[in-house]
Amino acid sequence: MEPFRVTILGSGSALPTKDNFHASQVLELRGRRYMIDCGEGTQIKMGQYKVNVSRLNNIFISHLHSDHCIGLAGLISTMAMLGRSEPLSIYAYKDLKNILLPTLDYFTDDDSFEVIFHDINPKKKEIVYEDKALTVSTIPLKHRVPTCGFLFEERQGERHLIKQMIEAFDIPIRELKAIKQGADFVDKDGFVVKNERLTTPADVPRRYAYISDTLYTESIIPQIEGVDCLFHEATFLEQDHRRAKETLHSTAIQAAQIAKKAKVKKLVIGHYSARYRQHKPFLDEARSVFENTVLAEDGLIFEL
Ligand SMILES: [Zn+2]
Ligand SMILES: [Zn+2]
């Protein structure tokens, strides 16, 4: 199975600290990279954690609070300085292009690579991106500005060839593509070898859900049910649950309640308020509800 890797670049919230930068993550699957959110310092963290900017062609922005998007101008201007030529697509609420374009126009050369803005409607559940490796859908959230999470769903892969059987039936290479896609093999005498004798089933597609800033909301559960890994914001501890409600954020316990109700396999929490020096209490509170929880910290890498 090919790795489906997530690197946490920033695990902090509005006020970045030296250990917890603004929000950003990079997913890697089948040789492609996808960025989710791009707060201040994202490019610094990419360098620090050796996440290459090549093959990063798509960036998904959950909402237009600065801790989720203010790093774009810096990242894009660095890409231009490095001589990038491929276009870069950014998926975000429509206002982003009005905010970012004047900055990019001022600082980057006319012959720089193209930045393509794709407007998304954070209130609607829809597929906003697809390629050979995966699809990306929006998950509407409840926050102070239009906000959505993202569901990354791996596409069904091909069946696995059983090498000894392929050799035993002396199957030509040109037939292998169709066999990996489920075809039987028919030899020149019309003898049929059933696909099940030649292959084993494809890997089960993996799913990663990213829940950005939000008030506790069970409306997301049907979309994230049973995902391999759920990232859910946990800005506050239980002692500050009123503050969470006022600012339309979640607590660690609420993130864990969502994970439990949605029967996800693993929960990663982050987006901690800078008011807390220690993150262990976040883990303790979340694990009291959902055992398989880990803390996002800058530089955390995990695979699905
Ligand atoms: Zn935030
Ligand atoms: Zn926010």
Side-chain angles (χ1 to χ4, degrees):
M1 192 185 291
E2 287 198 54
F4 189 153
R5 186 176 296 128
V6 180
T7 302
I8 306 287
L9 296 173
S11 55
S13 61
L15 288 176
T17 66
K18 80 174 172 39
D19 295 323
N20 299 99
F21 271 36
H22 276 168
S24 185
Q25 305 186 0
V26 169
L27 269 58
E28 293 175 74
L29 178 64
R30 300 187 201 171
R32 297 160 196 245
R33 296 193 174 88
Y34 311 85
M35 180 175 279
I36 316 171
D37 285 339
C38 184
E40 184 182 358
T42 292
Q43 60 167 325
I44 308 283
K45 291 287 179 172
M46 289 179 79
Q48 190 176 340
Y49 305 130
K50 302 192 170 32
V51 177
N52 204 306
V53 289
S54 69
R55 286 177 287 125
L56 170 60
N57 298 330
N58 296 285
I59 300 180
F60 301 87
I61 301 293
S62 65
H63 65 299
L64 303 186
H65 275 155
S66 61
D67 55 324
H68 296 259
C69 61
I70 201 109
L72 282 168
L75 176 63
I76 291 168
S77 70
T78 297
M79 285 173 162
M81 270 188 276
L82 293 173
R84 182 188 175 101
S85 55
E86 310 97 312
L88 176 72
S89 283
I90 302 177
Y91 300 77
Y93 183 59
K94 62 182 172 56
D95 288 1
L96 182 69
K97 60 178 177 300
N98 304 330
I99 300 164
L100 195 57
L101 267 178
T103 309
L104 297 180
D105 285 346
Y106 191 91
F107 288 111
T108 51
D109 296 332
D110 291 344
D111 61 352
S112 184
F113 67 94
E114 188 184 7
V115 179
I116 305 163
F117 290 89
H118 303 262
D119 294 347
I120 59 177
N121 178 357
K123 286 192 178 145
K124 214 170 145 190
K125 294 176 202 170
E126 61 184 344
I127 292 176
V128 290
Y129 173 80
E130 50 193 330
D131 61 23
K132 281 185 186 161
L134 50 67
T135 63
V136 184
S137 314
T138 43
I139 305 171
L141 300 176
K142 292 181 180 160
H143 194 43
R144 305 192 301 279
V145 296
T147 302
C148 64
F150 297 105
L151 178 65
F152 291 78
E153 296 181 272
E154 185 181 21
R155 281 191 189 277
Q156 180 75 58
E158 294 177 319
R159 295 179 68 87
H160 303 288
L161 299 172
I162 304 170
K163 202 171 163 230
Q164 301 91 307
M165 298 300 276
I166 300 298
E167 285 169 2
F169 287 103
D170 201 16
I171 297 176
I173 291 170
R174 66 173 180 278
E175 302 286 340
L176 298 183
K177 191 167 191 280
I179 291 171
K180 282 196 267 186
Q181 288 165 356
D184 296 335
F185 173 64
V186 186
D187 75 8
K188 57 182 185 317
D189 303 321
F191 178 73
V192 177
V193 185
K194 286 289 196 194
N195 189 278
E196 294 73 43
R197 295 185 66 193
L198 302 172
T199 64
T200 55
D203 300 323
V204 176
R206 292 158 290 183
R207 296 189 298 149
Y208 179 65
Y210 174 83
I211 300 303
S212 187
D213 299 9
T214 188
L215 186 70
Y216 176 83
T217 176
E218 294 185 1
S219 61
I220 64 176
I221 291 174
Q223 258 188 295
I224 64 171
E225 198 135 32
V227 293
D228 297 271
C229 182
L230 165 67
F231 173 89
H232 196 297
E233 75 116 303
T235 310
F236 295 101
L237 289 173
E238 200 50 27
Q239 69 201 38
D240 295 311
H241 67 93
R242 281 192 195 83
R243 185 82 188 125
K245 200 170 176 186
E246 281 161 19
T247 55
L248 279 77
H249 279 294
S250 299
T251 64
I253 283 191
Q254 289 172 333
Q257 284 167 338
I258 293 290
K260 190 176 179 184
K261 289 186 180 186
K263 301 184 183 73
V264 307
K265 292 182 187 148
K266 174 181 176 160
L267 171 66
V268 180
I269 52 172
H271 195 269
Y272 318 108
S273 163
R275 70 181 60 199
Y276 308 106
R277 293 237 173 97
Q278 303 289 331
H279 295 155
K280 174 85 168 38
F282 283 86
L283 189 62
D284 294 342
E285 289 193 358
R287 281 190 174 165
S288 72
V289 176
F290 187 82
E291 178 58 30
N292 194 14
T293 303
V294 298
L295 293 176
E297 296 290 352
D298 295 13
L300 175 75
I301 298 172
F302 55 91
E303 289 185 5
L304 270 63

